[in-house]
Amino acid sequence: TLFEIMALRIRRIQSLCGGDAKVPFYIMTSPLNHDETVAYFDSNSYFGLGQDNVFFFEQGTLPCLTEGGKLILEEAGKLAVAPDGNGGIYPALQSSGALDNMVTRGVKFLHVFSIDNVSCLMFCRRDLSPLVMLLTCFNAGTRTSCRPSLRRVLYIGRCRLR
């Protein structure tokens, strides 16, 4: 699974660091999949990362609107809501205690990515540009950086696949 691939990458980074190095894995879930995601990691023994190195936090929700801007009801008297998207990471990190956890652990850097982007290799023998970018930004004192990547689109017949 995609989660397993990411966990294996984290374990590889830990082994490259040597000793008892631990790289925590912070996973933002939605209210729709939080319990299922936590149970999945638990049933797979956290893919060897250890339960104390995997931190789950839920993103917030926003009301659903029609194209005309009217509120949508899920049922009578209940507003329909949906996850607040990638930008929800910032308030979710704060409200969940994940930021406090990072400070306690001494985390200094984050590598943020979408779980469905398996091409977001942090370190790859064929492409060292992420590492070069990270070191360049670190040496320059830059607080944030962004490395865009193209998504390849594959057409099979009339179907569009990513």
Side-chain angles (χ1 to χ4, degrees):
T1 65
L2 296 176
F3 281 126
E4 184 176 12
I5 291 168
M6 296 303 169
L8 289 171
R9 288 179 180 170
I10 291 171
R11 287 177 46 200
R12 176 68 176 140
I13 292 169
Q14 290 176 163
S15 71
L16 291 172
C17 292
D20 293 330
K22 297 294 180 200
V23 176
F25 193 9
Y26 294 88
I27 302 171
M28 184 171 78
T29 62
S30 81
L32 304 173
N33 65 22
H34 181 82
D35 293 338
E36 182 181 352
T37 303
V38 172
Y40 179 70
F41 269 79
D42 189 53
S43 69
N44 286 281
S45 302
Y46 295 83
F47 301 104
L49 294 174
Q51 184 176 357
D52 57 335
N53 288 314
V54 181
F55 190 103
F56 300 95
F57 63 102
E58 282 189 55
Q59 68 188 112
T61 59
L62 292 171
C64 295
L65 304 173
T66 66
E67 287 185 24
K70 295 184 178 183
L71 294 170
I72 298 174
L73 296 179
E74 185 175 319
E75 57 186 53
K78 185 176 180 184
L79 190 61
V81 295
D84 59 4
N86 293 337
I89 191 172
Y90 304 108
L93 283 169
Q94 179 69 48
S95 65
S96 68
L99 283 179
D100 292 334
N101 181 276
M102 291 175 192
V103 169
T104 300
R105 294 179 70 114
V107 173
K108 296 190 185 307
F109 305 99
L110 297 178
H111 176 209
V112 179
F113 58 90
S114 297
I115 190 63
D116 64 346
N117 185 1
V118 294
S119 66
C120 71
L121 295 173
M122 186 62 168
F123 304 104
C124 175
R125 289 182 186 155
R126 293 182 305 271
D127 181 10
L128 293 176
S129 61
L131 181 58
V132 170
M133 185 186 85
L134 177 69
L135 292 173
T136 301
C137 292
F138 176 76
N139 288 332
T142 305
R143 294 181 57 100
T144 61
S145 63
C146 178
R147 180 177 179 254
S149 59
L150 294 175
R151 287 193 176 210
R152 294 187 176 131
V153 178
L154 174 65
Y155 287 92
I156 298 177
R158 294 184 179 181
C159 298
R160 178 180 178 202
L161 306 172
R162 283 199 232 172

